[in-house]
Amino acid sequence: MLRPLLIAWIELKRFGTDRGAIAFSIALPIALFALMYGVFGRGASFSAAASMVDLDGGPLAGELLDRLEAVEGLRVDLMTEAEADRALDRSRILTAVVIPTGFSEGLQSGEPVSILFKRRGSGGETGQIVSHIVQGVAQDIAGEFEARKLARDGLAGRGVPEARIEQTMTPLLDEARAVAVERRTVGEEEAPAGRLIPGVLTMFLMLAVTLSASSIVDERRMGTLERLLTTRLTVNQLFLGKFLASVGRAMVQALILLSLAFAILRVADAAAFAQVVAFSLLIAAAISALGLVVAGAARTSEQATWGAVFLSMSMTVFSGAFISVGETGPLAFLSKLTLNKYAMDGLHGITSGNAGLAGQGPEAAILAGITVAGFIVARVVFRTAQKGE
Amino acid sequence: MTEEFLVAKDLRKRFGDVPAVDGVSFTIRRQEIFGLLGPNGAGKTTIIRMLSTTLEPDAGGIEIGGRSVAEDSVGVRALIGVCPQELALYPELSARDNLVFFGRMAGLGSRQAKEAAAENLELVGLLDRAKDAVRKFSGGMKRRVNLAAALMSRPHLLFLDEPTVGIDPQSRNHIFETILRLRSEGMSVLYTTHYMEEADRLCSRIGVIDHGRLISLGTPAELKSAIGPPDEVTLEQVFLNLTGRNLRD
């Protein structure tokens, strides 16, 4: 049992002498974390820009723009019609709101007015939200103007000063505009970074495929494989040692990434951190075992690298990381053949705070099964390939 | 002492349609340095791989120290040391770390491995460079560490596959002296080389192999006498006479 540990130890020691590899191993998770922090570090409140074109220039168009500026999370980008058309043409924006000429005058005279939404396709999710906000604010202004007009018309000829009417109407309209909203929390919202962690961590741990896939080829390249196989070391011990080294290296990187994510983005509490680490260990083990299958078959560094790339890319793509695989159909079936699906499902279960590690029994069992099966297949493949040499 | 320590009988190995080793039989006695000579691609390395348990023969049998390679490969490995043709070391690690590691893999305990590493580094004249990374060594020094690593298992039979390729005369001479000293301590050696004067100087018997077949076997003097007076014939002349002058790739 000591020899696999020595194999793993010597591999980690060799890794420790390579300053470039160490720097890269530390820099990679930090860079990935910085990316996550840049995206999610400022929280998840609504933030969007309304691209507005004011062809009217009248007081009510100005009122509309002022009120849009006051909406929380909404920024008004005022542009000319030509600028808006160019931005739409180049897909820099997906929706532009045009306040047409005569908007203010039409409202003031009681005629129907319109606002033009120019958009590419459906206008994008944010564009649709912004459109509804603009529409709501414009209808508010129109309604208020109509109410003021009715009040003025009703009081006409009764000697009530215009200022008095306005003084009375303004608080009434403000009150009417303010719709009371009750907020009732039915559960903790998962931190945005927490939703990202399963995918990022799984993809990151997939790097272990490359490490383990090249581990035997590296020994072959240095000539040490032949020497090791003439000692009392068995093939099982050799593969177990390589497996441990691969898991060890993957976990060091995963720990750096997770520590930063949990400490700075406060993804979840310490208990969840420990559970994610424990589950990551299972993922790293399963991925390393699959990498060993490639290692057992590969005869050159190129074969090992391309085998690892193919394995990791196909599992990432078919797991649904980039495409929607749905619940049924061939893609859904393929996703169930990937390790990533069970890895991400398990991690989601922990980071969402719903079930914890104890609730991830099926996923953990599948990952453990992949580990054992991968290890056995790797050994058989290696033996078969050795005989054919 | 003429007891046979290694017995190889009718060894055969094919790679696809190509017969790499075709019915080779020979023995190596205790305390004997046995030379295996042959042109490139003759089958020398394939024979060493079969003898050292890393390649299974298609047919034939091998016994080392009374143990069958087919039936007790782990037991056989306890008796052998292999110094491969290519350097087989971790260049990032120190000479000492390399040796201790291979000693542990050969079954030595931690303290035994450290002691053996020091002994073998002294034997190859590199004890003062024990802590230096192997990648910093010259070609000759690397070859000597490669030999020291093969000795870590304290073998009874040592396979040396062209151990002096590309090194200076001093390192080569040091390796010769080491081999002779090991033999005097009881070790048997299977030695392959392309340098005929090395084989002439070191080996008590020589087998010449070509196209996977053993085409001649005897003492250097016996081989020479086949084509002329031993004092006037060189081993290189014998070798060219047996294997021809055509280039081999």
Side-chain angles (χ1 to χ4, degrees), chain A residues 197 257-269 272-273 276 351:
Chain A
I197 280 283
L257 178 71
L258 283 173
S259 301
L260 290 170
F262 275 73
I264 298 175
L265 292 179
R266 303 198 181 286
V267 171
D269 57 17
F273 175 80
V276 168
T351 56

Side-chain angles (χ1 to χ4, degrees), chain A residues 2-3 6-7 10 13-14 17 219 222-224 226-233 386-387 389, chain B residues 15 49 52 54 56 77-78 82 84 87-90 92-93 97 102 104-107 146 149:
Chain A
L2 201 57
R3 286 193 190 112
L6 286 167
I7 291 274
I10 213 74
K13 194 167 183 176
R14 286 176 51 218
T17 62
E219 296 283 357
M222 288 183 294
T224 44
E226 196 81 2
R227 171 162 272 163
L228 285 171
L229 294 177
T230 60
T231 67
R232 295 191 196 184
L233 183 75
Q386 281 287 100
K387 279 185 181 174
E389 268 198 347
Chain B
F15 294 121
R49 288 187 65 203
S52 61
T54 61
E56 205 175 314
R77 285 180 202 160
V82 180
L87 294 171
L89 301 164
Y90 298 109
E92 315 90 341
L93 301 184
D97 282 349
F102 287 116
R104 298 300 304 273
M105 291 300 108
N146 208 32

Side-chain angles (χ1 to χ4, degrees), chain A residues 271-272 274-276 278-279 282 345-351 353-365:
Chain A
Q275 291 175 4
V276 168
F279 199 78
L282 268 177
D345 281 356
L347 287 171
H348 269 304
I350 297 169
T351 56
N354 293 332
L357 186 60
Q360 315 312 320
E363 286 82 5

Side-chain angles (χ1 to χ4, degrees), chain B residues 117-152:
Chain B
E119 282 169 23
N120 288 319
L121 282 170
E122 190 171 18
L123 185 70
V124 298
L126 286 169
L127 189 57
D128 57 331
R129 301 291 301 271
K131 291 180 181 172
D132 290 353
V134 167
R135 68 166 178 267
K136 295 178 182 169
F137 286 3
S138 68
M141 291 160 77
K142 286 176 184 168
R143 285 275 166 201
R144 278 143 64 197
V145 180
N146 208 32
L147 173 60
L151 299 173
M152 285 302 294

